[in-house]
Amino acid sequence: MICIPITSPTNKEALTAIKRSCRFADFIELRMDLIGGGILAELISAIRLNSISIKIIVTCRKKEEAVAVRRNAHSECVVRNTREKRELLKEAIELGADFIDIELAEGSKVINELKSLCAGKGGKTNIIVSCHNLKETPALFELKKIFKQCAKFKPAVVKIVTMAKNVDDNLITLDLIAFAKERSQKIISLCMGEKGGISRAVSPLMGNFLSFATLGRGGQSAPGQFTVHDMNKFKELFGTRHHLSLASALSLRKSPAKNFVLLGNPVGHSLSPLMHNAALQKMGIEENYSACCIQDIGQAIEGIKGFNIRGASVTIPFKVAVMEYLDDIDDDALAIGAVNTIINDGGRLKGYNTDWLGLILTLKKSMTLRNKTFAIIGAGGTARAAAYGIIKEGGLPIIVNRTQEKGKILAAKFNCPSFPLSEISRIKADCLINTTSVGMYPQCDKSPVNSEVLAGYKYVMDVIYNPLKTKLLTNAEKQGCKIFSGLDMFVNQGAEQIRIWTGKEPPIALMKKVILKRLIAK
Ligand code: ATR
């Protein structure tokens, strides 16, 4: 559906533009920030007089956006403050506009106020919650976050428009349409600018709620807009037959990616290469998994693309830092805030987190998690994954950390209690999980907690797998606790990585066997 924005510098010219646009438009957007001296009531009734089927959107953008458009047109824009803007949108509701466009940046108070006003008028006017980035197109996971913030208001339509700095940015905004579709949320997602043309041309075919187009060149309300004539030509050219293959054709797939790497620092002691290479060999996959000790995660990510590497594991200290370099991030990893697995899909890198699943699968083998309490020692990436998984399974985490402030931040993220490690004796829980490195080889004589504390727990887990039985677990066993070493978690998270990379079932028993053999031989 075509939406023609009215951007004329005067009310009179706007009325003329409306008359001309009504022949071609499904929607007309009244850009009240651009129409100098625009009289909303007159403009709306002019559209209604011409056509009763055309939907009317009333928009009043912030100054920077209006200026960005007007810079080309050599004329003024209309600057309104937040209060004036709100009054204008209220007037639009009173006048029965079909949509008002309100920016996410205006804040929840204003959005909710306008929403209830719409509801009070019988819901004739719908809300578009919009967000515009005039400088760049952020990574898909960032856009998903913005999408979720907009969708929280349950608007009729979410609108996210970004500036394309390169042609690939188009794919990001197109991916966002699919993401919104999965969530049954109507969306307008596209790129502005010279390099954003692909998204404007293709997004209608992918289910974008509407496309903006101008009657003639020069009437653009945003850089890069095509004319109605152009848009109709695209429609003809692509036809519905080409829908499905179009998005994949755009991502210019290379020859199949090969091999796997571990990115971290240090990585010398990692047993991941041993485990993954054994699994790949058993699965008949003639590819290699090797450890790379890196300094710069951004460069390493470029390397994965350049060398066409099929998949990567990410470990300390890059699990959080890597996120900004990826094209997409799975929902679980996004909620956890850390990525330990990357898959290269035709040059587009997607991040996952398999740590949480590795930990949960290990616990679930011997206990039910629902309504159980878990004291998690540590507040780093592993603790985050643990808290996320426990909540997902209906359990209740308690964060216990050496640095109280860090513990509090994590606890606030998951809405759970937190204690400083020094006060662990005050906690009563079913299971204790150590996610710190205290007790790891070669400091095998250390434990994060005193032995006496452990008597209060039925289950104790250590995420450390080297040594297999840490001092914590030895003490816990003496206190009669059921213990879990980090070995199963390590194998389970690695097995899930292989499922993500290959889509095939990994030989879990063999993976565990090779690690056990190496640890026992030490
Ligand atoms: P990971 O991503 O593997 O979880 P991390 O982000 O470095 O690793 O986090 C390690 C956690 O272990 C931190 O919460 C750290 O506590 P602080 O927040 O106080 O630094 C905790 N940790 C590390 N060494 C510790 C020690 N000797 N005693 C107690 N906690 C320790």
Side-chain angles (χ1 to χ4, degrees):
M1 284 192 285
I2 298 281
C3 176
I4 301 182
I6 303 297
T7 62
S8 319
T10 64
N11 194 62
K12 193 168 165 223
E13 285 168 89
L15 289 169
T16 311
I18 285 171
K19 224 178 208 170
R20 291 175 57 221
S21 302
C22 283
R23 283 179 52 212
F24 305 97
D26 303 299
F27 286 76
I28 285 184
E29 183 186 37
L30 296 171
R31 282 289 301 264
M32 299 307 288
D33 53 323
L34 296 173
I35 306 171
I39 303 163
L40 193 57
E42 241 180 62
L43 298 169
I44 289 182
S45 67
I47 300 170
R48 295 283 187 235
L49 269 175
N50 274 286
S51 159
I52 46 161
S53 62
I54 291 176
K55 303 272 183 230
I56 301 171
I57 305 175
V58 176
T59 301
C60 187
R61 291 255 165 278
K62 53 181 179 267
K63 188 181 164 196
E64 305 88 271
E65 276 180 60
V67 169
V69 176
R70 281 298 185 227
R71 201 175 286 146
N72 305 328
H74 302 293
S75 51
E76 293 298 311
C77 57
V78 187
V79 182
R80 287 185 176 85
N81 63 28
T82 300
R83 193 186 53 76
E84 289 164 339
K85 241 168 114 170
R86 203 169 53 207
E87 289 311 311
L88 180 97
L89 294 177
K90 280 185 185 170
E91 191 189 346
I93 298 168
E94 290 291 334
L95 292 167
D98 298 284
F99 294 87
I100 53 167
D101 180 313
I102 175 91
E103 286 147 350
L104 178 66
E106 294 294 341
S108 49
K109 195 167 162 249
V110 176
I111 299 175
N112 285 328
E113 185 195 345
L114 291 168
K115 237 193 117 179
S116 49
L117 212 66
C118 290
K121 290 274 160 198
K124 160 107 181 73
T125 307
N126 297 287
I127 299 241
I128 301 173
V129 175
S130 65
C131 183
H132 298 71
N133 186 328
L134 301 181
K135 291 202 183 102
E136 58 181 2
T137 300
L140 184 59
F141 85 93
E142 289 288 356
L143 288 188
K144 283 184 181 174
K145 272 197 218 164
I146 296 169
F147 168 86
K148 284 180 185 168
Q149 286 167 20
C150 296
K152 205 177 68 189
F153 295 102
K154 300 201 188 334
V157 184
V158 168
K159 180 181 178 198
I160 297 179
V161 177
T162 61
M163 180 61 76
K165 287 187 123 175
N166 56 59
V167 173
D168 278 359
D169 287 343
N170 289 281
L171 299 174
I172 297 178
T173 49
L174 294 176
D175 275 347
L176 194 66
I177 298 175
F179 183 75
K181 258 185 155 180
E182 281 166 20
R183 282 151 185 81
S184 306
Q185 170 66 61
K186 290 195 178 74
I187 190 166
I188 303 167
S189 169
L190 48 88
C191 282
M192 291 179 284
E194 229 174 81
K195 295 187 173 134
I198 293 175
S199 71
R200 289 191 184 273
V202 175
S203 59
L205 308 175
M206 313 242 339
N208 230 14
F209 182 63
L210 53 80
S211 318
F212 294 93
T214 59
L215 269 189
R217 307 211 183 269
Q220 280 96 340
S221 64
Q225 242 165 40
F226 289 117
T227 61
V228 173
H229 177 74
D230 292 336
M231 290 303 291
N232 286 333
K233 268 216 148 149
F234 290 134
K235 207 163 146 193
E236 240 172 68
L237 200 66
F238 295 140
T240 42
R241 245 174 348 109
H242 302 298
H243 263 200
L244 296 173
S245 59
L246 202 57
S248 52
L250 283 166
S251 57
L252 304 172
R253 284 167 209 285
K254 302 177 190 165
S255 56
K258 273 188 146 197
N259 297 316
F260 306 89
V261 289
L262 166 67
L263 307 176
N265 190 349
V267 291
H269 291 292
S270 172
L271 296 182
S272 292
L274 177 74
M275 177 172 76
H276 281 309
N277 282 320
L280 293 171
Q281 197 184 9
K282 176 82 180 172
M283 293 167 80
I285 297 171
E286 289 180 4
E287 292 172 52
N288 236 307
Y289 181 105
S290 42
C292 298
C293 183
I294 60 160
Q295 300 293 337
D296 182 330
I297 187 67
Q299 273 179 16
I301 291 298
E302 283 306 307
I304 291 184
K305 289 186 174 176
F307 291 107
N308 209 12
I309 303 286
R310 184 170 172 185
S313 311
V314 183
T315 189
I316 292 169
F318 300 114
K319 287 184 187 181
V320 177
V322 72
M323 295 174 77
E324 69 174 285
Y325 298 99
L326 303 176
D327 300 300
D328 193 6
I329 295 180
D330 155 80
D331 283 352
D332 291 320
L334 203 57
I336 292 165
V339 159
N340 77 326
T341 309
I342 298 170
I343 183 164
N344 178 352
D345 180 10
R348 293 175 52 69
L349 304 188
K350 179 166 181 178
Y352 291 84
N353 187 304
T354 67
D355 287 330
W356 74 274
L357 201 60
L359 184 135
I360 295 305
L361 289 176
T362 306
L363 292 174
K364 271 172 91 173
K365 229 174 161 186
S366 305
M367 65 183 289
T368 52
L369 280 70
R370 182 157 294 280
N371 296 330
K372 296 272 189 336
T373 43
F374 296 80
I376 301 171
I377 307 179
T382 316
R384 261 197 264 184
Y388 175 78
I390 287 164
I391 290 170
K392 201 162 168 153
E393 291 295 324
L396 309 157
I398 302 164
I399 307 299
V400 191
N401 196 45
R402 178 177 61 180
T403 311
Q404 193 176 4
E405 267 321 295
K406 213 170 142 194
K408 270 189 186 165
I409 292 169
L410 176 56
K413 179 173 162 76
F414 290 107
N415 199 16
C416 64
S418 76
F419 289 83
L421 183 56
S422 55
E423 291 179 22
I424 191 161
S425 55
R426 288 178 52 206
I427 299 169
K428 211 173 140 11
D430 297 296
C431 178
L432 180 127
I433 304 174
N434 174 42
T435 71
T436 76
S437 55
V438 182
M440 195 189 323
Y441 176 86
Q443 294 182 317
C444 306
D445 60 336
K446 294 220 161 70
S447 168
V449 295
N450 290 333
S451 188
E452 306 82 70
V453 169
L454 300 169
Y457 295 90
K458 192 165 173 199
Y459 307 94
V460 175
M461 175 172 184
D462 205 327
V463 301
I464 296 168
Y465 60 88
N466 184 13
L468 274 173
K469 201 185 274 183
T470 55
K471 181 152 187 222
L472 172 74
L473 294 185
T474 309
N475 289 342
E477 207 170 31
K478 281 186 196 151
Q479 299 287 350
C481 313
K482 173 149 183 56
I483 59 168
F484 309 90
S485 94
L487 176 66
D488 283 316
M489 173 177 167
F490 178 60
V491 173
N492 284 332
Q493 65 78 31
E496 186 59 18
Q497 292 189 315
I498 293 186
R499 286 188 198 102
I500 290 169
W501 292 330
T502 68
K504 295 192 180 120
E505 196 48 33
I508 297 182
L510 172 84
M511 292 162 74
K512 187 169 174 178
K513 197 169 133 195
V514 293
I515 299 292
L516 259 178
K517 198 170 155 199
R518 172 66 62 88
L519 291 173
I520 290 166
K522 266 184 143 185

